[in-house]
Amino acid sequence: MKLIAIILAAGQGTRMRSKLTKVLHPLGGKPMIRYSVENALRISGEKPIVVVGHGAEQVKQLLGDEVRFVEQTPQLGTGHAVLQVLPHLSGEEDLVLIMAADMPLFHYETLKQLVEMQQHHAGPITLVSVGGDDSRGFGRVIRDVQGQVCSVIEEAQATPDELRIREYNTSVYCFSAKWLTANLSRIPLSPKGEYYLTDLVGIAIQDGLSVQALKLTDNSEAIGINTRIHLAEAEAVLRQRINQQWMMAGVTIIDPTTTYIESDVVLGMDTTIHPNTIIRGKTEIGENCCIGPNSVIRDAHIGNRCKVFASVVEKAIMEDDVDIGPFGHLRSGAHLAQGVHMGNFGEVKNSYLGPGSKMGHFSYLGDATLGAKVNVGAGTITCNYDGEKKNHTEIGDCVFLGSDTMLVAPVKIGEGGHTGAGAVVTKDIPDYSLAVGVPARVIRKLEKRGQT
Ligand code: UD1
Ligand code: CA
């Protein structure tokens, strides 16, 4: 059985009132069209065809060669959109799955069930319908006295009686490829000057063929996005689904209503997420971690048994047993090796802190490499920027930096080196030497011993 998926994404999305094409608006941290693309790839195993029009360039840029594109200009309706795809079919397809890119909350399982239903169906169409009180402007699914689907009427064209119908078209269908190819051009022009894909239902019935509907049991799947109000509704549903998925997988979420975990995040077992925490992007967090409250984490790799307390972590790595906060900020390229402790008001950017190093209070490390077991005294700062370029600071194992040390980069402190409080280090300090003053000078050699 050969299945091809078509994703309709050419519409303007006027009701979003945005310069950004509707299907590129982020949902759960990624452009909403990605959800249909992911489902399509999973279900057919082949590149889906995405029909683009408004904002075509941006959509193409986002999806690249994950999919195939077909242009629709002008946009004369959903039927017209599918018509543009016909020349790109090989003729070997058995089934065509059609989805609208503004319906991102469909479960893969539902789509699979839809395809299976159509596979065993004598007629040419299975559509997905949804019930409920809120029509959301959807087309109505009209059934005959026997309860068989006989047409879909758009809300704008529906009679008052039809408007009372409480079964709606979700705009997700599975068609017999052969029948679709042969009949698409029969769609008449609507009073609005568009070709409605939905008219194919009436056409099949006129020909004496059967159309069946798969009615959703989870209505949240059919939250389509036409406005920013819908976008927020979809976001809330997605958030709840994601939180529930992680709780089922063994993550404790103290308050799911204030916990925001984006779609591509991965969390380990027995990790606890405290309130007001946002975990974004391609973040991975290991087991037995304690995250939050009041933390924002984005594109970070966090090992096992870590603590992030009221802090911000962006594009950074925390190995196992690292703890930061409160009020810490790890920026791009920060890498804290195993057992690093970073306390209040620390900031680290593009720097490596070796295993067991400690930085307890009010410090900034940028463009620095620290060895193991370094003690960074309160108020230590790398003066890494000379007004033109960023310079590197290198600090050996077991270095002890006195409070308020200024490291004027480029500069290097050898293994076991010490600085006195308030030292302004402008020149390299050799191994096991104590330097003090402004500018700092070496006043003594130190005995070689391990630091704790
Ligand atoms: C459509 C259905 C309606 C259904 C509703 C559910 C039709 C005529 N109506 O209405 O029965 O209840 O979805 O969400 O199909 N698109 C194109 N090219 C076009 C027009 C639209 O690619 O020329 C794409 C849009 O980008 C969008 C999808 O098709 O992803 C649906 O279009 P939209 O205008 O949102 O249709 P609805 O009015 O929601
Ligand atoms: Ca829509």
Side-chain angles (χ1 to χ4, degrees):
M1 196 251 339
K2 190 167 156 60
L3 171 73
I4 182 96
I6 300 176
I7 298 169
L8 305 182
Q12 187 172 9
T14 325
R15 287 166 283 176
M16 293 295 280
R17 295 193 177 275
S18 175
K19 292 199 176 111
L20 183 67
T21 306
K22 175 166 78 174
V23 299
L24 296 181
H25 274 260
L27 178 74
K30 58 186 181 188
M32 77 172 82
I33 193 172
R34 279 220 173 273
Y35 295 88
S36 337
V37 170
E38 281 168 16
N39 269 334
L41 278 169
R42 191 168 161 203
I43 203 156
S44 79
E46 279 199 42
K47 289 185 182 181
I49 295 178
V50 178
V51 181
V52 289
H54 278 280
E57 284 317 307
Q58 297 160 292
V59 178
K60 283 182 174 175
Q61 211 177 355
L62 173 78
L63 298 173
D65 58 6
E66 286 174 57
V67 304
R68 295 196 286 154
F69 296 101
V70 169
E71 300 247 5
Q72 184 202 14
T73 22
Q75 291 82 36
L76 299 178
T78 46
H80 179 254
V82 179
L83 196 60
Q84 312 311 306
V85 177
L86 289 192
H88 302 269
L89 297 181
S90 70
E92 281 161 21
E93 296 84 1
D94 301 296
L95 296 176
V96 181
L97 174 66
I98 298 184
M99 299 183 263
D102 64 354
M103 301 286 282
L105 294 183
F106 264 77
H107 293 300
Y108 163 76
E109 289 72 20
T110 303
L111 297 172
K112 200 162 174 284
Q113 199 187 344
L114 167 68
V115 169
E116 277 164 13
M117 264 177 84
Q118 179 54 30
Q119 218 177 337
H120 299 108
H121 183 204
I125 310 174
T126 305
L127 61 85
V128 181
S129 71
V130 63
D133 293 330
D134 184 2
S135 80
R136 304 174 67 89
F138 284 9
R140 303 298 195 273
V141 176
I142 315 286
R143 292 178 182 263
D144 64 16
V145 282
Q146 277 93 45
Q148 298 297 309
V149 174
C150 57
S151 66
V152 171
I153 306 287
E154 290 309 296
E155 191 167 87
Q157 266 98 60
T159 63
D161 273 349
E162 286 165 344
L163 284 177
R164 274 193 286 277
I165 292 169
R166 285 153 43 104
E167 185 178 8
Y168 317 102
N169 174 35
T170 62
S171 217
V172 175
Y173 323 79
C174 190
F175 284 92
S176 142
K178 220 167 157 185
W179 186 88
L180 180 70
T181 311
N183 290 278
L184 257 177
S185 58
R186 291 172 64 192
I187 296 177
L189 199 60
S190 80
K192 273 189 148 180
E194 290 194 358
Y195 297 92
Y196 293 159
L197 189 62
T198 45
D199 283 346
L200 285 177
V201 175
I203 289 171
I205 298 297
Q206 275 169 31
D207 289 355
L209 302 169
S210 119
V211 175
Q212 61 183 8
L214 165 60
K215 198 164 175 185
L216 292 177
T217 46
D218 174 3
N219 286 8
S220 76
E221 288 184 81
I223 294 180
I225 295 160
N226 293 324
T227 67
R228 296 199 198 226
I229 294 173
H230 297 154
L231 186 63
E233 272 180 273
E235 188 76 44
V237 168
L238 190 65
R239 173 152 57 101
Q240 195 183 22
R241 282 188 193 172
I242 292 171
N243 285 345
Q244 285 176 355
Q245 174 209 325
W246 288 119
M247 289 188 278
M248 291 307 286
V251 173
T252 295
I253 298 180
I254 304 290
D255 180 11
T257 62
T258 62
T259 302
Y260 304 78
I261 303 170
E262 289 184 351
S263 311
D264 292 340
V265 168
V266 179
L267 303 173
M269 211 198 271
D270 292 319
T271 278
T272 299
I273 317 285
H274 290 271
N276 292 326
T277 292
I278 305 179
I279 309 180
R280 311 187 53 192
K282 302 233 179 293
T283 294
E284 275 182 47
I285 298 178
E287 298 183 355
N288 291 96
C289 291
C290 188
I291 309 292
N294 305 328
S295 295
V296 179
I297 299 175
R298 180 167 65 95
D299 297 326
H301 284 264
I302 297 180
N304 300 316
R305 301 174 300 279
C306 290
K307 289 195 181 77
V308 176
F309 177 29
S311 292
V312 176
V313 178
E314 300 171 287
K315 298 187 177 173
I317 300 171
M318 292 167 60
E319 293 185 18
D320 294 347
D321 306 295
V322 170
D323 82 282
I324 77 161
F327 320 119
H329 189 186
L330 297 185
R331 293 167 53 203
S332 180
H335 180 162
L336 277 49
Q338 176 154 20
V340 166
H341 162 73
M342 176 173 134
N344 326 256
F345 303 103
E347 174 181 345
V348 177
K349 183 216 77 175
N350 190 32
S351 294
Y352 174 81
L353 277 68
S357 287
K358 292 183 169 55
M359 164 175 167
H361 332 267
F362 326 104
S363 289
Y364 169 60
L365 296 177
D367 306 299
T369 306
L370 278 68
K373 295 187 177 170
V374 172
N375 185 83
V376 180
T380 293
I381 281 178
T382 51
C383 311
N384 58 323
Y385 185 49
D386 57 16
E388 280 174 19
K389 58 182 192 309
K390 304 290 167 64
N391 299 298
H392 192 254
T393 299
E394 197 173 325
I395 296 174
D397 291 345
C398 304
V399 163
F400 182 96
L401 299 169
S403 294
D404 215 15
T405 296
M406 302 290 124
L407 300 154
V408 183
V411 76
K412 183 177 169 185
I413 301 186
E415 182 181 319
H418 278 221
T419 61
V424 175
V425 184
T426 55
K427 279 197 252 160
D428 293 355
I429 299 176
D431 293 356
Y432 298 98
S433 308
L434 167 66
V436 299
V438 182
R441 55 198 171 81
V442 174
I443 57 163
R444 204 192 311 149
K445 286 299 273 180
L446 299 165
E447 225 175 281
K448 195 166 174 173
R449 60 174 167 86
Q451 192 97 37
T452 48

